[in-house]
Amino acid sequence: MTTRARSFDAAAALYQAHRPAYPAALFDAVEELTGRPLAGSRVADIGAGTGIATELLHARGAEVVAVEPGDGMAAEFRRSHPGIPLVRGDGDRLPLAGGAFDLLTYAQAWHWTDPARSVPEARRVLRPGGALAIWWNDLDPAVPWIAEQGGRLRDFFEGDGRLGAGGAGGAGRTGADFRTLPQGLDGFTTRSVPWSRRIRLEDHLANLASHSAFLLLGEAGTREFTDAERERLLALFPDGSVEERYVVGLSVARV
Ligand SMILES: C[S@@+](CC[C@H](N)C(=O)[O-])C[C@H]1O[C@@H](n2cnc3c(N)ncnc32)[C@H](O)[C@@H]1O
């Protein structure tokens, strides 16, 4: 794992508390595109983190196992979801038996894998006709304040070269400029699933701070950005709450 991929470990509780979940419509779309109900399906959730997606798959009745490489994220997962099985490992070397799964999910995790390894690994552990689903929750850049904030994030990280190549990463970037579909898997079908949540401004800032770009930057640099952002957003939303609007970009391929 890269330093950046490991950055979540020190901030697992912040991640679990402030990262958004996923809407029911996403799981409806997964069922539609795979042609199979989640209930009773054998699912492995790869890069499960603290279990935000795993918990929802479990609630839909999937027989789900989580796979997570990070110490801190795995510990937070076990604390938050003691009833859901987790195995340590990563997408490039799945600690799973061959042909044993109907579905693999990578919720905001595919980009941390090396497709030269993770695609063959996915093929190995899926049964014939099984499917792989990857998705990302992106703040919707069609919303003016979100687009403006995305511009400030890019300026902050890339204008000053704070993080070098890779820049803002998930904080402020969306779909096409950050993620690529796996090479070597044909026939992806895709859906965009819009949804929103209204939260306190402080929780929005904590959500931003849980992205790997800020985790690598450290506390002082993060505070510099979030303090300025608090002032700007309070002028727009004086009641101290914001509506975060998201679009989940989902892609499903069958093997
Ligand atoms: C952005 S978090 C997503 C967590 C969770 N799936 C969610 O939806 O909240 C990315 C996760 O991928 C994990 N990760 C990093 N490198 C990985 C790899 N090569 N294979 C699988 N997971 C990896 C990180 O430890 C982290 O928990």
Side-chain angles (χ1 to χ4, degrees):
M1 279 168 86
T2 62
T3 307
R4 188 162 184 159
R6 287 188 186 282
S7 65
F8 296 109
D9 281 317
L14 177 77
Y15 190 106
Q16 168 69 14
H18 297 291
R19 281 294 183 101
Y22 305 102
L26 170 67
F27 299 97
D28 296 340
V30 169
E31 290 182 333
E32 186 195 328
L33 297 185
T34 59
R36 188 187 164 98
L38 285 163
S41 286
R42 295 161 304 169
V43 180
D45 185 32
I46 317 299
T50 60
I52 294 174
T54 325
E55 179 184 22
L56 296 167
L57 290 161
H58 181 76
R60 296 283 286 224
E63 290 172 25
V64 62
V65 60
V67 176
E68 168 57 40
D71 293 341
M73 295 299 258
E76 181 64 31
F77 183 107
R78 290 193 165 118
R79 201 188 59 74
S80 306
H81 311 294
I84 304 179
L86 174 139
V87 290
R88 303 298 305 282
D90 70 48
D92 300 337
R93 283 168 299 271
L94 290 171
L96 304 171
F101 292 88
D102 301 306
L103 175 67
L104 300 183
T105 55
Y106 302 76
Q108 320 224 130
W110 178 261
H111 57 293
W112 296 113
T113 74
D114 169 7
R117 296 172 181 206
S118 52
V119 169
E121 277 296 83
R123 283 191 193 283
R124 180 180 66 77
V125 305
L126 285 168
R127 66 163 169 80
L132 172 155
I134 67 180
W135 67 77
W136 286 274
N137 232 345
D138 287 320
L139 280 165
D140 183 353
V143 178
W145 75 264
I146 291 174
E148 286 158 20
Q149 182 181 73
R152 290 192 290 275
L153 283 162
R154 279 188 291 278
D155 289 347
F156 184 74
F157 283 107
E158 287 158 28
D160 288 357
R162 277 186 172 81
L163 287 180
R173 289 193 166 193
T174 60
D177 58 1
F178 183 41
R179 294 90 197 227
T180 52
L181 290 180
Q183 302 290 309
L185 282 171
D186 298 329
F188 272 99
T189 46
T190 59
R191 284 279 186 290
S192 294
V193 182
W195 71 286
S196 69
R197 65 174 185 171
R198 179 162 287 282
I199 56 172
R200 293 180 318 133
L201 172 57
E202 287 310 315
D203 293 325
H204 167 69
L205 298 174
N207 173 19
L208 278 185
S210 76
H211 285 79
S212 58
F214 284 114
L215 298 177
L216 282 186
L217 185 63
E219 220 174 299
T222 299
R223 206 170 321 110
E224 180 190 332
F225 186 87
T226 53
D227 283 353
E229 206 57 19
R230 179 181 299 104
E231 243 178 75
R232 283 203 186 85
L233 293 180
L234 264 179
L236 278 179
F237 308 114
D239 73 348
S241 79
V242 299
E243 186 190 28
E244 285 184 339
R245 281 198 9 217
Y246 287 94
V247 179
V248 188
L250 164 70
S251 300
V252 171
R254 295 204 211 183
V255 299

